[in-house]
Amino acid sequence: MQDKLIIQLKINRLSNIKPNFSELARQYGLDRRTVKKYYDGYSGKPKHHAKSSYLDKYIELIKNKLTIRGCTVKAVYEFLLTEVDPNIGTYSNFNKYVKAHGLKSVRSCKGHPRFETEPGMQAQVDWKEDVHIANRYGEIFTFQVFDYKLGHSRYTHFTYKLYKTRQDVFSCLIASFKATGGVPREILFDNMSSVVDRDGKRKSISNRMQAFAKDFNFKIKLCKPNHPFTKGKVEAVNKFISWMLPYEGEFETEEELINILQKVNRKVNAYICQETGVPPLLLFQKEKEYLQPLPDDNIIESYLIHDRQTTVRKDSMVTYKKCKYSVPADFIGKPVRLLVSGNRLHIYFSTDIIAQHELSQKRLNYQEDHYKQLLSRSISCKEDLSEFAKANLRQMDDFL
C-alpha cells in the first residue's frame, strides 16, 4: 500500500498537480501529515538496518585473498584465524558474512560410496600437482605435494617436492613411514607413471616399485580407472592444500614456504574430520600401534639419495644451509638438485651438472662468470663489465 501511495504522489508531482492530502490519508488509512511527508520525498523506514560487523575491517583482505585462483572461503578463514586475528569468530559466521557480500563461489559436489578400513590396514597416496604461489617479491614457486593418508585415522603427511619421479615417490613414502612410525599392510595408488609401466593399453607395476614394496612389506593396490572415489580419502585432503594459497605474498624463501606447508599439515591433523567426528591426530594414537615396523636402516638407505631439490631464484642463486651459491643465469626459475659430496656442493639440472662450489660460511657465494652473466642482462655497456663485476663482488664480500 505504501508503494502505491508513493507511485501516485510521483505521478501528481510529474503532472504538476497538487494532491488532496486529506483524501489520500483517508484512502490509505494514514495521517495527512504522513502523506505530505511522502509527497516531499520521504520513502519510509528502511527494511533492514545496516549493522557494522567485526569483519568489516578485513573486507579488503578477504576480497584480495579470494581473487587467488583455487582459494576457498575456508582457506581464507583459516589464514585469517591463524595469521591475522584469532578473534574473528566461527567459520559459520564468517561464511555468512562472505555470502552477504557476494564473495562465495558456487561449487558442486558429487556423492560417492564411503569405504572404511581397519587400523593399520591401508594408506592412500596422491600428488597435488603444480601448486603455484608467489612470494612477497612476486617470484612464482611451482611445486608438488605428496599426500600420504592413513585410511582409518585419516592422519596425513605432506611432503614438498619439485618433481614426481620414482625416486621422489620412494623418498616421500619413506618420509611418511618415518613420520607415522610404521608401514601399513597395503597402499592405494592411482595409476601414476612412477608406479605403473605401460605397454600400449597394458599396464603393470614397475619392477623397482615391486621390489620397494617387498622390502617394506606392503601390498600395492591400484585405483580402478575412472573411479576416483576409491581413493576419496586422500582426494578429500588435497583440498586442504588450498589453505596455502592465502599465504601468497606473505613469505620470502623456499624454506619459509616449506614451513607453511608443515603448518597447514599440522592443522589438518588437528581439525575435526567430518566422517569420524574427531581429529585425525586422536585416532592416530590408536592406529599407529597397528602399523608394521620399518625395515633395517641398510634397506632404507639403499632407496635414498641424499640430495635436495630447490628452484633457482632471480638473483641466479640457490640456498643451502642458509648460504647462497650461484649458477648460470640461464637457469633462473628452473628446478635443480643439490648434492653434497665431501666439502663440495654439486648443482644439477636434470642429469647435467651446472655448477660446483666449495661449501662456505659466506652468505653469498657468486662465481665471477655467473655474476657477469647476470649483470650482462641489465647493463648495456659490456666493455667494463668484468671490472664492474669484480668491484661489486669485492663490495659484497666487505659488506657481508
Side-chain angles (χ1 to χ4, degrees):
M1 184 175 291
Q2 177 183 311
D3 293 338
K4 289 183 179 179
L5 173 61
I6 293 173
I7 292 172
Q8 185 172 344
L9 291 172
K10 284 183 178 179
I11 293 173
N12 288 137
R13 193 184 299 111
L14 291 172
S15 303
N16 203 22
I17 300 173
K18 186 175 181 179
N20 186 329
F21 297 129
S22 298
E23 177 63 30
L24 289 173
R26 286 191 294 271
Q27 182 180 344
Y28 288 100
L30 299 171
D31 188 283
R32 69 180 305 280
R33 288 169 295 186
T34 303
V35 176
K36 187 175 186 307
K37 281 174 62 178
Y38 281 120
Y39 180 74
D40 292 335
Y42 176 65
S43 58
K45 294 181 180 179
K47 295 180 180 179
H48 301 284
H49 294 283
K51 294 182 180 180
S52 62
S53 168
Y54 182 80
L55 293 169
D56 286 344
K57 58 184 175 181
Y58 300 124
I59 183 64
E60 292 304 320
L61 179 60
I62 295 170
K63 287 180 180 178
N64 182 52
K65 294 301 182 184
L66 283 174
T67 61
I68 300 172
R69 185 176 179 84
C71 191
T72 63
V73 174
K74 181 66 173 177
V76 176
Y77 171 76
E78 292 294 336
F79 170 76
L80 289 174
L81 186 68
T82 305
E83 305 296 336
V84 180
D85 188 346
N87 301 312
I88 60 173
T90 65
Y91 173 66
S92 176
N93 287 334
F94 182 83
N95 196 20
K96 289 177 183 176
Y97 180 83
V98 171
K99 280 184 176 180
H101 289 76
L103 301 177
K104 182 176 172 61
S105 58
V106 179
R107 292 178 296 164
S108 61
C109 182
K110 296 182 179 180
H112 56 74
R114 179 172 159 180
F115 299 93
E116 296 297 338
T117 53
E118 298 175 0
M121 177 65 189
Q122 186 186 88
Q124 298 182 5
V125 301
D126 196 12
W127 287 106
K128 183 67 174 178
E129 302 175 344
D130 297 331
V131 182
H132 305 284
I133 187 169
N135 68 3
R136 61 171 48 100
Y137 305 119
E139 293 182 72
I140 304 295
F141 288 73
T142 301
F143 58 96
Q144 327 296 323
V145 178
F146 186 82
D147 182 357
Y148 175 95
K149 186 173 187 178
L150 291 173
H152 178 76
S153 63
R154 274 73 168 177
Y155 188 85
T156 301
H157 184 257
F158 294 149
T159 307
Y160 176 98
K161 285 290 181 180
L162 296 178
Y163 305 93
K164 300 179 296 177
T165 65
R166 185 168 296 158
Q167 180 59 46
D168 290 314
V169 172
F170 291 159
S171 64
C172 288
L173 285 171
I174 291 172
S176 299
F177 296 156
K178 289 182 176 181
T180 55
V183 182
R185 295 194 291 279
E186 65 181 35
I187 298 180
L188 180 63
F189 296 85
D190 67 5
N191 294 276
M192 56 181 70
S193 59
S194 53
V195 175
V196 175
D197 291 334
R198 286 180 170 82
D199 182 10
K201 293 184 178 181
R202 296 180 59 188
K203 64 179 181 180
S204 59
I205 299 170
S206 71
N207 293 335
R208 183 74 170 140
M209 193 69 218
Q210 287 180 340
F212 180 89
K214 182 178 179 180
D215 284 337
F216 283 81
N217 196 29
F218 68 87
K219 293 181 180 178
I220 297 175
K221 293 189 68 176
L222 298 178
C223 292
K224 294 180 180 179
N226 303 316
H227 286 70
F229 56 80
T230 56
K231 59 181 179 69
K233 293 171 185 175
V234 73
E235 290 282 3
V237 170
N238 275 345
K239 69 182 181 183
F240 290 113
I241 303 300
S242 70
W243 289 14
M244 294 188 67
L245 300 182
Y247 286 89
E248 181 157 297
E250 306 287 341
F251 68 97
E252 293 185 11
T253 65
E254 191 170 41
E255 286 75 16
E256 290 179 30
L257 180 58
I258 294 171
N259 288 336
I260 291 170
L261 178 64
Q262 293 171 347
K263 183 187 296 186
V264 170
N265 196 165
R266 289 192 294 270
K267 290 189 71 173
V268 170
N269 286 326
Y271 199 83
I272 293 177
C273 175
Q274 291 183 352
E275 287 80 11
T276 64
V278 295
L281 188 59
L282 188 61
L283 282 181
F284 173 65
Q285 304 309 312
K286 173 185 176 183
E287 182 164 26
K288 66 182 180 181
E289 298 175 4
Y290 293 84
L291 295 172
Q292 304 175 108
L294 274 76
D296 293 338
D297 288 344
N298 290 336
I299 294 177
I300 295 174
E301 289 296 317
S302 70
Y303 285 98
L304 290 176
I305 295 177
H306 294 285
D307 65 358
R308 178 173 171 270
Q309 302 171 358
T310 188
T311 303
V312 181
R313 308 266 52 98
K314 287 184 177 180
D315 56 2
S316 193
M317 304 191 88
V318 297
T319 303
Y320 179 76
K321 290 189 175 180
K322 298 183 179 180
C323 296
K324 291 188 172 185
Y325 299 87
S326 66
V327 301
D330 291 340
F331 295 94
I332 289 175
K334 295 180 179 179
V336 295
R337 288 182 182 270
L338 311 182
L339 178 62
V340 175
S341 176
N343 196 42
R344 290 189 67 81
L345 174 66
H346 305 268
I347 306 173
Y348 289 84
F349 175 71
S350 186
T351 58
D352 299 324
I353 188 165
I354 59 173
Q356 298 184 62
H357 291 266
E358 291 289 336
L359 291 179
S360 167
Q361 298 299 317
K362 290 168 55 179
R363 285 181 56 193
L364 297 179
N365 296 273
Y366 269 113
Q367 290 183 7
E368 186 176 333
D369 288 346
H370 299 162
Y371 189 64
K372 285 168 60 177
Q373 186 182 4
L374 184 63
L375 282 178
S376 68
R377 297 187 170 197
S378 56
I379 295 179
S380 56
C381 182
K382 308 296 184 184
E383 290 79 5
D384 301 324
L385 185 61
S386 181
E387 290 301 318
F388 185 73
K390 290 178 180 178
N392 265 17
L393 290 173
R394 283 195 300 269
Q395 284 184 338
M396 280 191 281
D397 285 342
D398 291 342
F399 178 75
L400 295 173

